[in-house]
Amino acid sequence: MTDPPKGESPVLQTDHYIRFERVDSVEETPRGLLAGLHREQLRVDLVADDVVRVKISRGGVFDESPTFAVCTDPLSRPVEFRVERDEDRVRVITSSMVVSLWLDPFRLDVHRTDGTPVVETAADEQGRYWAYATLNDSFTLRRRCRQEDAVFGLGEKSGRHNRKGRDFTLWNTDVLNEHETAEFTAGKEPGDPRGDRTSVDFDPFYVSIPFFYHQSYPAGTMAASFVDNGYRGSYEFSAKDEYRISFAGGQYTEYIFAGPDMPAILGDYTWLTGRTAPPPLWALGYHQCRWFDYSQEAVEAIGKRHRDNDIPCDALWLDIEYMDGYRVFTWNKERFPDAPGMLARLSDDGYRVITIIDPGVKFDPGYEVFDQGLERDVFCKTEGGDTYIGQVWPGNTAFPDFVTEEARAWWGELNAAHVQSGLAGIWNDMNEPATGAIRANAMRFGNGKYSHERYHNQYALLMAMGTTEGLLKAMPEQRTFILSRAGFAGIQRYAANWMGDNFSRWDHLWLGVAMGSGFGISGQAFVGADIGGFAGNSNAELFLRWMQYGTLTPFCRNHSEIGNVDQYAWAFGDAVQDIVREAVKLRYRLLPYIYSAFIRASETGEPVQRPLVFDHQYDATVRDLDDQYLFGTDLLVAPVLEPGATSRQVYLPAGDWHDWHTGEVLRGSRFLVAPTPMDRIPLYARGGAVIPMWAQAPATTKEHHPEVVELHVFVPLADGTHTSRLVEDDGLTFAAREGACYDTTFNLIRSGGAVTVDASVEGRGYPEFARQAFHLVVHGASPSAVTVDGAEVVATEGGFRIPNAGNGFRASFEV
């Protein structure tokens, strides 16, 4: 194998791997090819015109369900193709790509029909191809790339958003646990940030998603790879002219996406692994959480303080101290003598309450949950048949065997009973699974049948699956809300993710920007970091800047560790609180826009927090930009990332952009220096956007059904058509699936000095709907009147009132 660049080392040494070198036979199948090589079989299955699945057997047998990630039949869609053969290769050709199986030496290449590469097998310095090689159940493959190419994805990864030049491990890890991180910090050179588990470059993290994009330079086209394998994985992007993929076990099953456009690739990937479910509206509000030894009186006092201080808030969270000796599904009766009463009172005041649930069940004969788990035989076992014991908060703990349907069903029942007290959601923590000072490798799955390594990375996915199924069975009409620390490909179907135990540091504020973008383009749209930082002490400026940024992220939760300084909205004085209040109120006013972005994500897989490369991949300038992002399709956010900053550089991509604070209209495709006084961060609206907003920020989303919704129209500088959307439904149930909603599409057309907004509506409405009018607010022009469906409407209160109770309309004006 080639030597790594100086100062770097490959994740996996492959000197003794056995390469597959020759194809012995090839036959056509209804979906592609079946080939024989090295006493194994290779299958090439077409999933779509631009997606192909490649599988290699072990022991001559294919594993048709290697993980729980894929949730649909990959071969259910028809694909037209033809097969061509010559002396050296067999080609499978669709309208979008050509899959070339080279026979001797064996290699597999995929190109688009225009000849541009999707994946090409790499050769070593001796000219030997590494299409596939194995050693003792592990396998590896090597692909060509250029030094100037970019790599994105892999979900929750630290460091720069462009992964090129670095190596990564996929192994769900409790990042702040010294026992679990020791193998990854050991042996690092002095000063190597990867030797410090608190650094923004440490790897691995809590979530493993084996899906990434390869962007070719200079064309900007993208291809992607999803390896459907849950074992420990290694992705090496440090070499100049190739990248390597390795897994420590399981079968090789890879989905290759020809692209060339990032949104289409993500759409195909999330068709396979599922899309973020439409969240309950309240889950998009502001959440207050702290690991603290609360009493029920203190919890209610925090709720009252938010209301008294006019700070909107929808959810209060309880960390591990609410339990009786850290026994899951219990309450500390001394501190919470009347939990149902507390929850009812908080509900009356518009709050939802969420409690933490860890997978570790205290080893405690006489404790009902532990006894029941033993009786039902649903705990993980060791190879010898013992109940596996780890060590978490309550001491010795047993762990549900979520690989079995019985364990998932049991866990779902426990969660359903737990929320019957009045809880609104479940917070899954410590689910990597974290086992403290006791190693997890002796934990086996499937009643002891499967190794720990096979399902370690999938444990959180299966935990969320069981929790969701239990909640839906108990409350089939209610949308669920689950927050998970760990995860795998497909976690977005069941839960939101937060980014785990971050630090109250400026570099961790930035980390949330890059990490959130990586999550978003890896299929998980519902994600956010602990605002203010979880570990360490925040300060007034850091907290304020984090709130201004965090209120413009998909999941918005203030969370901090026990023993640290307070970081409630009011903790740093009135001046900070006043600015924080405005940041939270802006989020609440934007909830119609944010909610509509989530509905779009649930339909297309598109992220809510979007790196600029997602929408502007052919602009080479944005390849390495990871300190700003798009929030939804039409808002550009540029957080303040360092102390004392009074300005920052911002890149505006193509189009034109309206400064949210000043109203100035700016042409894109350029850099500018934006002022950053303490009361705001740079925020821009895309020219041509129609952004729906509530006129005022409510204290809570509960039972908030306004009579007026504002439509902020940002007039573009150039002619063209721009599309925006507003989705309104009850925000709680699944009734919208049957049409109980109003789904309004706005097409803004500019032609010379004429601007028209065409609104078309789908859906039959819902009982709680109360809107009677839109209030049209025009930015970038000052028309004195607007013509609505042929009738002139004059300006009042800074805009134009359009009576509307769920019907389409046409509004036009001159600029």
mmCIF file of all heavy atoms in Angstrom, residues 41 57 178 251 333 467 512 520 526 558 631 648 664 676 679 699 701 714 769 784:
data_model
loop_
_atom_site.group_PDB
_atom_site.id
_atom_site.type_symbol
_atom_site.label_atom_id
_atom_site.label_comp_id
_atom_site.label_asym_id
_atom_site.label_seq_id
_atom_site.Cartn_x
_atom_site.Cartn_y
_atom_site.Cartn_z
ATOM 1 N N GLN A 41 -19.833 -14.547 -4.652
ATOM 2 C CA GLN A 41 -20.689 -14.006 -5.698
ATOM 3 C C GLN A 41 -20.763 -12.484 -5.561
ATOM 4 O O GLN A 41 -20.772 -11.937 -4.450
ATOM 5 C CB GLN A 41 -22.099 -14.595 -5.600
ATOM 6 C CG GLN A 41 -22.170 -16.077 -5.931
ATOM 7 C CD GLN A 41 -23.598 -16.584 -5.872
ATOM 8 O OE1 GLN A 41 -24.273 -16.456 -4.859
ATOM 9 N NE2 GLN A 41 -24.072 -17.144 -6.968
ATOM 10 N N SER A 57 -21.031 -11.612 -1.537
ATOM 11 C CA SER A 57 -21.444 -12.605 -0.543
ATOM 12 C C SER A 57 -20.308 -12.949 0.393
ATOM 13 O O SER A 57 -19.133 -12.635 0.152
ATOM 14 C CB SER A 57 -21.939 -13.868 -1.249
ATOM 15 O OG SER A 57 -20.864 -14.478 -1.963
ATOM 16 N N GLU A 178 -13.743 8.858 29.375
ATOM 17 C CA GLU A 178 -12.334 8.567 29.159
ATOM 18 C C GLU A 178 -12.076 7.102 28.834
ATOM 19 O O GLU A 178 -11.108 6.768 28.146
ATOM 20 C CB GLU A 178 -11.523 8.977 30.389
ATOM 21 C CG GLU A 178 -11.896 8.233 31.662
ATOM 22 C CD GLU A 178 -11.076 8.685 32.860
ATOM 23 O OE1 GLU A 178 -10.115 9.440 32.650
ATOM 24 O OE2 GLU A 178 -11.414 8.291 33.994
ATOM 25 N N GLN A 251 -21.034 -7.937 5.591
ATOM 26 C CA GLN A 251 -20.921 -8.035 4.143
ATOM 27 C C GLN A 251 -20.757 -6.662 3.505
ATOM 28 O O GLN A 251 -21.148 -5.640 4.065
ATOM 29 C CB GLN A 251 -22.157 -8.711 3.559
ATOM 30 C CG GLN A 251 -22.205 -10.193 3.818
ATOM 31 C CD GLN A 251 -23.187 -10.904 2.916
ATOM 32 O OE1 GLN A 251 -23.722 -10.345 1.974
ATOM 33 N NE2 GLN A 251 -23.428 -12.181 3.194
ATOM 34 N N LYS A 333 -39.910 10.441 44.392
ATOM 35 C CA LYS A 333 -41.160 10.888 45.010
ATOM 36 C C LYS A 333 -40.941 11.996 46.045
ATOM 37 O O LYS A 333 -41.869 12.763 46.332
ATOM 38 C CB LYS A 333 -41.867 9.693 45.668
ATOM 39 C CG LYS A 333 -42.363 8.646 44.669
ATOM 40 C CD LYS A 333 -43.383 9.239 43.707
ATOM 41 C CE LYS A 333 -43.913 8.212 42.708
ATOM 42 N NZ LYS A 333 -44.634 7.110 43.324
ATOM 43 N N THR A 467 -39.118 2.802 20.959
ATOM 44 C CA THR A 467 -39.802 3.891 21.650
ATOM 45 C C THR A 467 -40.916 4.455 20.790
ATOM 46 O O THR A 467 -42.043 4.664 21.263
ATOM 47 C CB THR A 467 -38.793 4.997 22.005
ATOM 48 O OG1 THR A 467 -37.744 4.452 22.810
ATOM 49 C CG2 THR A 467 -39.472 6.126 22.763
ATOM 50 N N GLY A 512 -20.953 23.456 16.027
ATOM 51 C CA GLY A 512 -22.366 23.180 15.773
ATOM 52 C C GLY A 512 -22.795 23.572 14.374
ATOM 53 O O GLY A 512 -23.687 22.942 13.793
ATOM 54 N N GLY A 520 -27.369 17.433 8.262
ATOM 55 C CA GLY A 520 -28.458 17.737 7.342
ATOM 56 C C GLY A 520 -28.317 17.077 5.999
ATOM 57 O O GLY A 520 -29.289 16.541 5.451
ATOM 58 N N PHE A 526 -33.517 17.118 11.641
ATOM 59 C CA PHE A 526 -33.931 17.641 12.953
ATOM 60 C C PHE A 526 -32.749 17.516 13.901
ATOM 61 O O PHE A 526 -32.561 16.496 14.560
ATOM 62 C CB PHE A 526 -35.132 16.851 13.461
ATOM 63 C CG PHE A 526 -36.000 17.619 14.442
ATOM 64 C CD1 PHE A 526 -37.214 17.090 14.854
ATOM 65 C CD2 PHE A 526 -35.629 18.844 14.947
ATOM 66 C CE1 PHE A 526 -38.032 17.770 15.740
ATOM 67 C CE2 PHE A 526 -36.428 19.542 15.831
ATOM 68 C CZ PHE A 526 -37.635 18.997 16.229
ATOM 69 N N ASN A 558 -31.673 25.090 25.045
ATOM 70 C CA ASN A 558 -30.658 25.579 25.983
ATOM 71 C C ASN A 558 -30.437 24.471 27.010
ATOM 72 O O ASN A 558 -31.367 24.070 27.708
ATOM 73 C CB ASN A 558 -31.187 26.857 26.639
ATOM 74 C CG ASN A 558 -30.259 27.429 27.690
ATOM 75 O OD1 ASN A 558 -29.269 26.821 28.092
ATOM 76 N ND2 ASN A 558 -30.597 28.631 28.155
ATOM 77 N N PHE A 631 -30.897 28.613 6.356
ATOM 78 C CA PHE A 631 -31.910 28.089 7.264
ATOM 79 C C PHE A 631 -33.199 28.009 6.474
ATOM 80 O O PHE A 631 -33.822 29.027 6.179
ATOM 81 C CB PHE A 631 -32.044 29.007 8.474
ATOM 82 C CG PHE A 631 -32.923 28.469 9.572
ATOM 83 C CD1 PHE A 631 -32.875 27.142 9.963
ATOM 84 C CD2 PHE A 631 -33.801 29.310 10.243
ATOM 85 C CE1 PHE A 631 -33.675 26.655 10.983
ATOM 86 C CE2 PHE A 631 -34.607 28.835 11.274
ATOM 87 C CZ PHE A 631 -34.538 27.514 11.637
ATOM 88 N N ARG A 648 -18.046 40.757 10.694
ATOM 89 C CA ARG A 648 -17.542 39.490 10.183
ATOM 90 C C ARG A 648 -17.725 39.450 8.674
ATOM 91 O O ARG A 648 -18.585 40.137 8.109
ATOM 92 C CB ARG A 648 -18.195 38.280 10.831
ATOM 93 C CG ARG A 648 -19.684 38.115 10.590
ATOM 94 C CD ARG A 648 -20.102 36.642 10.635
ATOM 95 N NE ARG A 648 -19.620 35.930 9.463
ATOM 96 C CZ ARG A 648 -19.666 34.600 9.333
ATOM 97 N NH1 ARG A 648 -20.171 33.857 10.291
ATOM 98 N NH2 ARG A 648 -19.220 34.016 8.225
ATOM 99 N N GLU A 664 -31.384 46.713 3.234
ATOM 100 C CA GLU A 664 -30.551 46.936 2.062
ATOM 101 C C GLU A 664 -30.570 45.698 1.159
ATOM 102 O O GLU A 664 -30.497 44.563 1.635
ATOM 103 C CB GLU A 664 -29.117 47.246 2.487
ATOM 104 C CG GLU A 664 -28.181 47.553 1.327
ATOM 105 C CD GLU A 664 -26.753 47.841 1.777
ATOM 106 O OE1 GLU A 664 -26.478 47.699 2.992
ATOM 107 O OE2 GLU A 664 -25.929 48.195 0.918
ATOM 108 N N THR A 676 -21.632 43.475 13.205
ATOM 109 C CA THR A 676 -22.178 42.522 14.176
ATOM 110 C C THR A 676 -22.272 43.164 15.563
ATOM 111 O O THR A 676 -21.604 42.725 16.506
ATOM 112 C CB THR A 676 -21.322 41.249 14.248
ATOM 113 O OG1 THR A 676 -19.984 41.623 14.626
ATOM 114 C CG2 THR A 676 -21.287 40.520 12.922
ATOM 115 N N ASP A 679 -26.575 43.284 19.400
ATOM 116 C CA ASP A 679 -28.008 42.996 19.343
ATOM 117 C C ASP A 679 -28.423 42.188 18.121
ATOM 118 O O ASP A 679 -29.614 41.922 17.933
ATOM 119 C CB ASP A 679 -28.815 44.299 19.402
ATOM 120 C CG ASP A 679 -28.571 45.209 18.211
ATOM 121 O OD1 ASP A 679 -27.612 44.970 17.453
ATOM 122 O OD2 ASP A 679 -29.342 46.179 18.045
ATOM 123 N N ALA A 699 -46.430 33.261 23.560
ATOM 124 C CA ALA A 699 -45.670 32.706 24.677
ATOM 125 C C ALA A 699 -45.418 31.220 24.485
ATOM 126 O O ALA A 699 -44.416 30.674 24.962
ATOM 127 C CB ALA A 699 -46.402 32.951 25.993
ATOM 128 N N THR A 701 -46.679 27.748 21.559
ATOM 129 C CA THR A 701 -47.443 27.370 20.375
ATOM 130 C C THR A 701 -48.761 26.693 20.736
ATOM 131 O O THR A 701 -49.628 26.534 19.873
ATOM 132 C CB THR A 701 -46.632 26.409 19.484
ATOM 133 O OG1 THR A 701 -46.377 25.207 20.211
ATOM 134 C CG2 THR A 701 -45.325 27.046 19.045
ATOM 135 N N PHE A 714 -39.929 39.562 -0.619
ATOM 136 C CA PHE A 714 -38.626 40.170 -0.863
ATOM 137 C C PHE A 714 -38.440 40.292 -2.377
ATOM 138 O O PHE A 714 -38.162 39.303 -3.066
ATOM 139 C CB PHE A 714 -37.528 39.347 -0.206
ATOM 140 C CG PHE A 714 -37.625 39.356 1.293
ATOM 141 C CD1 PHE A 714 -38.407 38.414 1.962
ATOM 142 C CD2 PHE A 714 -36.979 40.330 2.041
ATOM 143 C CE1 PHE A 714 -38.517 38.431 3.344
ATOM 144 C CE2 PHE A 714 -37.093 40.362 3.427
ATOM 145 C CZ PHE A 714 -37.859 39.410 4.086
ATOM 146 N N PHE A 769 -58.219 25.794 12.412
ATOM 147 C CA PHE A 769 -57.785 26.879 11.523
ATOM 148 C C PHE A 769 -58.573 28.149 11.811
ATOM 149 O O PHE A 769 -59.800 28.134 11.858
ATOM 150 C CB PHE A 769 -57.976 26.467 10.069
ATOM 151 C CG PHE A 769 -57.534 27.488 9.075
ATOM 152 C CD1 PHE A 769 -56.190 27.697 8.828
ATOM 153 C CD2 PHE A 769 -58.462 28.230 8.364
ATOM 154 C CE1 PHE A 769 -55.774 28.637 7.891
ATOM 155 C CE2 PHE A 769 -58.070 29.173 7.424
ATOM 156 C CZ PHE A 769 -56.715 29.378 7.187
ATOM 157 N N SER A 784 -47.688 51.840 -3.321
ATOM 158 C CA SER A 784 -48.762 52.468 -2.539
ATOM 159 C C SER A 784 -50.021 51.629 -2.548
ATOM 160 O O SER A 784 -50.898 51.784 -1.687
ATOM 161 C CB SER A 784 -49.068 53.865 -3.090
ATOM 162 O OG SER A 784 -49.447 53.775 -4.458
#
